Amino acid sequence: MDITVSNDVEAEFLREIESILTNTDYKKLSNYVQHKNTTRLMHSMNVAYISWKFARMTGCDSRTAARGGMLHDFCLYDFREKAEEAQVFHHPKIAAQTSQIHFQISAKERQAILSHMFPLGPVPASKEAWIISFADKICAVTERFRIDIALARKNRVHVNAA
């Protein structure tokens, strides 16, 4: 599978997420529907990009924001198939575990992943975690209503199933 990102996406952002975006298991997120109208991969990239931009604007740790945004929903299963479990509460723990298995994540990144569902989960403990939680909600709402946002706009990201 190839993921192509247009030249107008900042190289600095791409450097922050490169090790995640090139991971074979992470790319599998393109197989899961998210918010009925997008893929979990595209959703996560949107959250990461908005989080990274906002963190830079506010003087926060943009690397943590980008990586936490990319990994906040890193669950390698279809949420709809786990209906017996309340995914809103369960998936942040799975995403944190999966992220720790596949990548070396910081304590701050882990906490941001675990708290991204606030107020339905733990209170975010850092500015970056608050940013990721907010960006996740912005993306979820816009994606649900089929509004292209961030990297989903103007074919900025294209996924080729090879």
Side-chain angles (χ1 to χ4, degrees), residues 18 25 39 45 61 81 86 97 106 113-114 122:
E18 182 178 18
D25 284 327
T39 67
M45 289 186 71
D61 181 348
E81 293 174 3
Q97 291 170 355
S106 69
I113 294 165
L114 289 170

Side-chain angles (χ1 to χ4, degrees), residues 45-82:
M45 289 186 71
N46 281 335
V47 170
Y49 188 66
I50 290 170
S51 297
W52 176 80
K53 293 211 46 118
F54 195 71
R56 287 186 62 200
M57 289 173 27
T58 58
C60 294
D61 181 348
S62 58
R63 177 177 169 79
T64 293
R67 288 173 51 85
M70 286 292 285
L71 297 170
H72 80 283
D73 281 344
F74 187 23
C75 303
L76 297 171
Y77 62 89
D78 189 336
F79 290 167
R80 297 170 297 179
E81 293 174 3
K82 299 274 188 173

Side-chain angles (χ1 to χ4, degrees), residues 1-102:
M1 169 184 304
D2 290 327
I3 299 172
T4 307
V5 181
S6 70
N7 292 334
D8 68 334
V9 177
E10 293 90 333
E12 184 181 343
F13 169 71
L14 295 174
R15 279 192 297 276
E16 299 290 14
I17 66 163
E18 182 178 18
S19 66
I20 298 169
L21 197 55
T22 58
N23 179 278
T24 303
D25 284 327
Y26 188 84
K27 290 178 184 181
K28 292 176 184 175
L29 295 183
S30 67
N31 298 321
Y32 303 108
V33 173
Q34 192 87 351
H35 306 127
K36 299 198 183 216
N37 299 309
T38 191
T39 67
R40 193 169 306 151
L41 174 67
M42 193 69 246
H43 167 73
S44 296
M45 289 186 71
N46 281 335
V47 170
Y49 188 66
I50 290 170
S51 297
W52 176 80
K53 293 211 46 118
F54 195 71
R56 287 186 62 200
M57 289 173 27
T58 58
C60 294
D61 181 348
S62 58
R63 177 177 169 79
T64 293
R67 288 173 51 85
M70 286 292 285
L71 297 170
H72 80 283
D73 281 344
F74 187 23
C75 303
L76 297 171
Y77 62 89
D78 189 336
F79 290 167
R80 297 170 297 179
E81 293 174 3
K82 299 274 188 173
E84 72 279 359
E85 301 171 23
Q87 286 306 303
V88 69
F89 303 110
H90 184 69
H91 86 272
K93 296 172 194 161
I94 300 300
Q97 291 170 355
T98 308
S99 297
Q100 286 179 299
I101 291 167
H102 291 274

